Amino acid sequence: MVVLSQPSLDQLSLIKTCKPATNFSTSIPLIDLSKPAAAAKLVVKACQDFGFFKVINHGVSMELANKLETEAVKFFGLSQSEKNKAGPVKPFGYGSKAIGQNGDIGWIEYILLSTDPKLVAQASFNIAKENPENFRSLVTDYLEAVKKLSYEILELIADGLELKPRNTLRTLLEDEESDSVFRLNHYPPCPELQALSGENLVGFGEHTDPQIISVGRSNTTSGLQISLQEGTWVSVPPDHHSFFVIVGDSLQVMTNGRFKSVKHRVFADGTKSRYSMIYFGGPPLKSKLNALPSLMKAGEQSLYKEFTWEEYKKSAFKSRLGDDRLSLFEASAIAGR
Ligand SMILES: C=C1C[C@]23C[C@@]1(O)CC[C@H]2[C@@]12CC[C@H](O)[C@@](C)(C(=O)O1)[C@H]2[C@@H]3C(=O)O
Ligand SMILES: O=C(O)CCC(=O)C(=O)O
Ligand SMILES: [Fe+2]
C-alpha cells in the first residue's frame, strides 16, 4: 500500500480530499489524572466544551502499549495477500479502505476486534500466525489496562456531575455483557497525493463514535482533528504518552445533551504512517439508553426517545459515516422514520 501503482492512484479519486479550515488557536484540554480532585471538574468541562480531551499520568504501561503497537506495525507491514487472510471485517478482522458496510472509504487499513477474550484468542491465529499467543496476551493485557483507565475516567465524570453512586457509568462498561470493540488503525503515507495537489487525503471521514467513550492512543504522526461546536476543525497534537478520550453518542444521550459527542476525522500524512489503537466502550446490548434521572432539572424534558444500545447500534451500523445518527432518536423525530 506504500508504492502506488496506477490503479491505486485511480482509487485516490474515490477517497475524499479537502483543504481543511483549521483553527490553530484553540488548545485541546490535557488533564492530569494524578490530581483527581481537580480532574473531575476539568473532565466534565472538557466533555461539555469539546467532547474530547487528553489524559496524562493515566497508569497504562508505555512498554505494553509500545509492544502492541510494534505488533500492529509488523502486521500492517505484511504483503497485501497475507493481510487479506485476516479479513474481511464481518464483523471482526482486517479491513482495507472500506469502513463499515455502507460504502464509506478512506486511506486506511485496520484490524477490528471484539474485546471478548475468546474472540481475541481466535482472531490472534489469523493476525499473528507466527506467535498468536504473544499477540493475544498483548491485546488482553492492553485492553485490561485501557478498560481500567476508562472506568477511572467514567468515575471522574460521575464525580464532576455529582452522580450517585459514582459507579453509575462505569458499571455499563464493566458488565460482562458490555458490547465494546477494539480497533488498530494504520494510515499509510501518501506522498503522491501531497505532491499532486497539496490537498489532504481523508483517512477516516468525519463521524461521531456511537458508544459511551472511546479511549485511544497514537504514534507521533499527526492526522486526528476534532470539530468545535461552531464547526471549525482543530488538529490534535499527536504524542506517544497521552491517551485521547472521545465522548460518544451514548454519553450524549445519558447526559441529555450536556455532553456532545464530538465529530472527528483523520487525514493521512504525506510521508509518515499514523498508527492508532482505540478502545470503544459500549454498554450491554439490552441496556436502555436514556437521560440519567439525577441529571434532570425540574421540568426538564428528555431530548431522546427511550431505546436500547442494541437498537441504536443496529441503526448506526446501517448509517453512513458522516450521518447524524442520533437525529432518528430525538424525542421530536417522526415515529418510524
Ligand atoms: C460507517 C460506519 C463505520 C462504523 C459503523 C458505521 O456504519 C457508522 C459508525 C462507524 C464506527 C465509528 C467508531 C468505530 O470506529 C466503529 C467501529 C464503530 O463502532 O462505529 C465504526 C464502525 C465500523 O468501522 O464498522
Ligand atoms: O485513528 C484515529 O486517531 C481515530 C480513528 C477513529 O476515529 C475511529 O477509529 O473511530
Ligand atoms: Fe472515531
Side-chain angles (χ1 to χ4, degrees), residues 103-154:
D104 288 287
I105 52 171
W107 194 249
I108 186 175
E109 55 177 347
Y110 58 92
I111 295 168
L112 200 55
L113 293 173
S114 161
T115 58
D116 175 337
K118 278 193 230 98
L119 297 181
V120 171
Q122 275 173 26
S124 301
F125 284 100
N126 298 327
I127 293 159
K129 292 212 165 60
E130 282 180 11
N131 194 346
E133 174 48 27
N134 177 51
F135 186 78
R136 185 205 62 78
S137 77
L138 285 174
V139 171
T140 309
D141 293 353
Y142 181 79
L143 279 175
E144 194 182 307
V146 174
K147 281 182 190 173
K148 194 164 164 259
L149 169 60
S150 309
Y151 303 158
E152 196 186 323
I153 291 165
L154 290 179

Side-chain angles (χ1 to χ4, degrees), residues 99-100 102 104 112 181 183 204 207-211 280 316-321 325:
I99 300 173
N102 311 311
D104 288 287
L112 200 55
V181 282
R183 173 168 206 140
F204 209 123
H207 66 283
T208 60
D209 292 348
Q211 293 83 0
F280 300 89
F317 277 69
K318 279 189 208 141
S319 69
R320 295 293 298 262
L321 205 48
R325 284 175 270 286

Side-chain angles (χ1 to χ4, degrees), residues 147-213:
K147 281 182 190 173
K148 194 164 164 259
L149 169 60
S150 309
Y151 303 158
E152 196 186 323
I153 291 165
L154 290 179
E155 280 194 346
L156 286 172
I157 291 178
D159 291 346
L161 289 173
E162 297 180 16
L163 275 181
K164 303 257 168 7
R166 71 189 295 257
N167 67 0
T168 304
L169 295 170
R170 78 173 266 173
T171 48
L172 294 169
L173 301 196
E174 230 171 352
D175 194 300
E176 270 189 8
E177 312 260 285
S178 111
D179 181 41
S180 301
V181 282
F182 181 51
R183 173 168 206 140
L184 297 161
N185 291 322
H186 173 218
Y187 305 89
C190 187
E192 284 81 355
L193 183 98
Q194 309 284 115
L196 281 176
S197 60
E199 296 215 6
N200 282 298
L201 181 63
V202 175
F204 209 123
E206 69 176 75
H207 66 283
T208 60
D209 292 348
Q211 293 83 0
I212 297 176
I213 54 167

